[in-house]
Amino acid sequence: MKKQTGIWIDSTKAIIVTLEGGKEAITEIQSDLENRVYHDKEGDKGSFFGGQHIDSQKSFDERKKHQINTYLKDVISNVTGADELYIFGPAETKTKLEQKINSEKSTIASKPKSVETSDSMTENQIVAKVKQFYSQKQ
């Protein structure tokens, strides 16, 4: 029996639906990504400490890059046993996940069957979309 997995992903969370032997399992992974928040004492040009200028945007971007990397690795570690992958979601996180899967030299790299754009969905809608995707494939 094939282990078919669907991943709905955005920058706040990933919902993983696994279909195997007529049963479904749902896993939710929360991301720790921080979004840009304006602080009262923070200017938009960074900060000055004596003669040294610190650009807060650059350090924020670097920190966010590491957070995304950790988040995607966590999602990938939850789907390593899948035979087929269906990735969907809004924005660009789904394509970053696909790139990460393809860049990892592992057995999972050949698994993605489709990457699609979709709106925000409820958990039930996500499960229904994954079931519909795999029922069309057979």
Side-chain angles (χ1 to χ4, degrees), residues 72-84:
L72 296 179
K73 281 184 176 181
D74 195 19
V75 172
I76 290 170
S77 71
N78 276 276
V79 297
T80 51
D83 294 316
E84 296 178 346

Side-chain angles (χ1 to χ4, degrees), residues 79-95:
V79 297
T80 51
D83 294 316
E84 296 178 346
L85 280 178
Y86 170 46
I87 303 168
F88 59 108
E92 63 194 44
T93 311
K94 65 185 174 301
T95 53

